[in-house]
Amino acid sequence: MDAQTRLEIQNLTEQQQQYVIQTLPVKEKSLSSAYIFWVLFGAHYFYLNKPFKNIFLWALCYIYIGFAWWLIDLFRMKSLVAECNREIAKQVIHDAILLYPKPQKLHSETIDAEYKAS
């Protein structure tokens, strides 16, 4: 989890934070699994939720450009996984906000608070 995601989680309500903390580890992608998909199937983009990119990679392998791309991804894998995990974190935070909206003050509570203050 990167620093930006931690800051976004701190701005959530307690219930939203609990949802994110419980859901995020289950949905995040691991670097080791991405390497396994890269080596065995050349399907690491499928694993990283980018199926069209993976199909494009396979298509380019027929003209040998895809093999160079595939080898370059070996060195880019850490950043690819981190980028995918950031997108997953954004989606989980968005889901938490939709599932557990912040309670809004009723108009009468605001009036009562102003009355008591005066």
Side-chain angles (χ1 to χ4, degrees), residues 17-118:
Q17 287 178 1
Q18 289 300 319
Y19 175 81
V20 171
I21 290 169
Q22 290 174 353
T23 307
L24 196 55
V26 175
K27 292 189 174 193
E28 281 186 324
K29 305 298 182 177
S30 76
L31 184 60
S32 58
S33 295
Y35 276 122
I36 290 170
F37 277 98
W38 177 84
V39 170
L40 296 179
F41 312 112
H44 52 290
Y45 284 111
F46 280 117
Y47 176 68
L48 299 174
N49 300 327
K50 297 182 187 291
F52 295 113
K53 199 176 231 184
N54 214 124
I55 292 168
F56 189 60
L57 170 69
W58 286 347
L60 288 177
C61 284
Y62 286 107
I63 56 173
Y64 301 107
I65 295 171
F67 292 113
W69 182 8
W70 181 74
L71 284 173
I72 291 169
D73 282 347
L74 171 67
F75 301 102
R76 295 181 53 222
M77 192 66 68
K78 187 173 182 178
S79 65
L80 293 172
V81 172
E83 178 185 331
C84 180
N85 285 337
R86 275 192 296 275
E87 291 174 15
I88 290 170
K90 285 180 186 177
Q91 184 61 45
V92 169
I93 290 169
H94 179 72
D95 292 346
I97 291 169
L98 291 177
L99 285 170
Y100 306 104
K102 290 183 179 181
Q104 296 182 2
K105 290 183 179 179
L106 298 175
H107 183 66
S108 62
E109 291 176 1
T110 307
I111 293 172
D112 288 343
E114 291 175 358
Y115 179 74
K116 289 179 183 177
S118 58

